[in-house]
Amino acid sequence: MDNLTKVSVAKLILATLWVKKSANTDTIRNFKYLKKINNSSTTFRTSLHRLLKTNLIRKGEYGLYKLSRKSGNWALASFIEAEIFDYKARDEKWDGGWRIVIFDIPEEKKKYRTQLKKVLHKIGFKNIQSNVWVYPYAVPEFLKHILLEENIKPHTRFITSDNIQDDSDLRKMFNL
């Protein structure tokens, strides 16, 4: 069973539209998220109808579905959830570089901070100090989308370095 089956069809539709910006029903159903799970036509149509009814998506010209303004945070959260469940850590060789995420997200944006920590943990980052996370491999593209999201971007830094003084503890942490 694919991990994506843990995500609702409605969220997978929102995630698809987050990536594609606009799409017809065939494109949505055949995008990587919904294509990987077994869902009935009825479930798909019902989910699409509910998203339209709640104004999270709209149907535009040429039968193309688009995200509404109301769907912004819902769509981003759905995209992150779908990507996390779809993500499979690759068996990579270490290139000698370190990927470091540093953040100081204010308390009023706590939900973004909590979500970012969950994403970093799922990818395989290790927390080495308060809000300092490190990872030895190339990061998935979706993490870059998250770090550039308007509620997070002003409070984060993404650093790639090939030199961390005395990184033996980090190497041990990642079995390098």
Side-chain angles (χ1 to χ4, degrees), residues 105-113:
I105 300 172
E107 189 60 29
E108 63 269 12
K109 295 184 178 187
K110 181 180 180 177
K111 67 180 179 181
Y112 297 104
R113 184 176 63 232

Side-chain angles (χ1 to χ4, degrees), residues 129-156:
Q129 287 185 2
S130 179
N131 300 326
V132 178
W133 293 69
V134 66
Y135 188 62
Y137 306 110
V139 299
E141 195 63 34
F142 73 89
L143 178 59
K144 294 174 187 174
H145 287 285
I146 295 167
L147 295 174
L148 293 174
E149 201 279 327
E150 66 186 46
N151 288 297
I152 294 176
K153 183 180 177 182
H155 311 288
T156 62

Side-chain angles (χ1 to χ4, degrees), residues 2 4-5 29 31-38 86 88:
D2 193 301
L4 281 171
T5 57
R29 285 199 78 141
F31 191 64
K32 69 179 183 174
Y33 305 132
L34 286 164
K35 189 175 183 176
K36 289 183 178 182
I37 67 168
N38 292 324
D86 191 41
K88 293 177 182 69

Side-chain angles (χ1 to χ4, degrees), residues 116-132:
L116 179 58
K117 287 179 180 181
K118 285 180 185 176
V119 170
L120 292 171
H121 178 73
K122 174 67 179 172
I123 291 169
F125 275 79
K126 304 287 185 188
N127 186 216
I128 59 169
Q129 287 185 2
S130 179
N131 300 326
V132 178

Side-chain angles (χ1 to χ4, degrees), residues 57-68:
I57 64 171
R58 59 186 171 82
K59 193 171 184 179
E61 286 187 74
Y62 311 108
L64 296 177
Y65 293 93
K66 297 180 179 193
L67 296 173
S68 68

Side-chain angles (χ1 to χ4, degrees), residues 26-107:
D26 287 339
T27 302
I28 295 169
R29 285 199 78 141
N30 290 308
F31 191 64
K32 69 179 183 174
Y33 305 132
L34 286 164
K35 189 175 183 176
K36 289 183 178 182
I37 67 168
N38 292 324
N39 69 83
S40 69
S41 293
T42 304
T43 304
F44 178 77
R45 284 193 311 271
T46 301
S47 298
L48 205 55
H49 177 73
R50 285 186 183 151
L51 289 169
L52 285 165
K53 189 175 179 181
T54 56
N55 296 319
L56 289 174
I57 64 171
R58 59 186 171 82
K59 193 171 184 179
E61 286 187 74
Y62 311 108
L64 296 177
Y65 293 93
K66 297 180 179 193
L67 296 173
S68 68
R69 291 182 195 263
K70 182 180 173 182
S71 69
N73 288 336
W74 288 95
L76 175 61
S78 297
F79 164 73
I80 293 168
E81 190 173 345
E83 285 291 331
I84 286 173
F85 279 112
D86 191 41
Y87 179 71
K88 293 177 182 69
R90 295 180 303 270
D91 209 11
E92 294 184 273
K93 289 189 175 193
W94 185 41
D95 63 1
W98 295 102
R99 284 69 180 179
I100 305 161
V101 176
I102 302 170
F103 55 92
D104 189 13
I105 300 172
E107 189 60 29

